[in-house]
Structures are given as structure tokens and as C-alpha cells.
Amino acid sequence: MNWDQIEGRWKQLTGDVKKQWGRLTDDDVDAIDGQQDKLVGRIQEAYGIEREEADRQVREWFNSL
């Protein structure tokens, strides 16, 4: 799977995203709209972590799909 496929399946994956990162609101998930950079940024803001850590978490989640 590549990130374009994630963008195409974003509506189906929102439950997984909210389960993985429970601090993200429905509005956050809607605003992300499958875009990797937005997901990393919202995780960074919600959890108060460095961008590199948020990026690592997204990569791990992506590889688990």
C-alpha cells in the first residue's frame, strides 16, 4: 500500500486513526483528509511531541496496515 491509497481510503481508515491517536478529534481527522503531512502535524500538536516522533509514529502505523 502507498500513501495515495491511504488518501483514497481515508474515510474507511478514520476509525483506525482515532483508535491509534485518541486525542485527535473528529474535526482533526476530517481536516487531515488523508494527507500525511497534516496527520503528522495534528499528532504533533495533540500530543506535544517533536515532529520527528510524530513522523515515526505515522510510519509505524502505515507499515502496520
Side-chain angles (χ1 to χ4, degrees):
M1 179 178 296
N2 62 40
W3 201 265
D4 289 334
Q5 291 170 313
I6 298 250
E7 287 182 22
R9 295 182 48 210
W10 186 247
K11 294 290 184 203
Q12 290 117 351
L13 294 171
T14 56
D16 290 339
V17 170
K18 289 194 299 189
K19 188 162 131 182
Q20 180 75 25
W21 296 286
R23 292 184 187 172
L24 296 181
T25 66
D26 289 337
D27 289 340
D28 288 331
V29 175
D30 289 343
I32 292 164
D33 197 31
Q35 297 177 34
Q36 185 176 6
D37 285 343
K38 286 186 179 181
L39 176 58
V40 170
R42 295 287 174 134
I43 292 168
Q44 181 184 5
E45 290 174 14
Y47 287 88
I49 59 176
E50 296 290 326
R51 184 160 187 86
E52 292 79 19
E53 173 61 18
D55 189 53
R56 184 193 63 75
Q57 290 181 18
V58 169
R59 278 184 277 123
E60 281 185 6
W61 172 76
F62 174 78
N63 290 332
S64 73
L65 296 178

